[in-house]
Amino acid sequence: MTDDPLNTIKKADPDLFGLIVQSGELTFSEEGIPLQYKFLIAMALDASKGAENGVRNLATQAINAGATKEEVMQAVRIANYISGIGSVYTAANALKDIV
């Protein structure tokens, strides 16, 4: 397992790190949109930004929260529609062992 890249921020600026953690807890709370769909939205956004590790981690979290592999691929379709084929390549590399 790789080291969390935010450990650098945690050491250098604990206050900023605390805000990041708090924001994540608020974003991925069990309120409103079901958790698996929140992860799928975040995954599609990461795909559109070229964040392969984020796509992999968020797809795994979405599946663990109850999303299906078909729903993961629907989110990839949305990323493609909004952001283009680059997001599909990012997702394809990230999802090799997941879907």
Side-chain angles (χ1 to χ4, degrees), residues 20-96:
I20 293 167
V21 169
Q22 185 179 15
S23 178
E25 289 170 353
L26 177 65
T27 300
F28 294 105
S29 70
E30 295 282 346
E31 299 175 357
I33 297 171
L35 189 57
Q36 71 251 33
Y37 300 126
K38 290 180 181 184
F39 287 132
L40 291 173
I41 291 167
M43 186 205 75
L45 290 168
D46 267 4
S48 73
K49 296 291 186 179
E52 190 175 314
N53 288 337
V55 171
R56 184 178 306 106
N57 291 332
L58 289 161
T60 300
Q61 289 177 288
I63 290 168
N64 289 341
T68 65
K69 292 178 181 182
E70 292 79 13
E71 289 171 327
V72 169
M73 292 311 302
Q74 287 292 317
V76 172
R77 287 181 179 198
I78 293 167
N80 177 58
Y81 178 73
I82 299 300
S83 298
I85 193 68
S87 59
V88 176
Y89 278 92
T90 297
N93 285 323
L95 299 173
K96 285 181 204 171

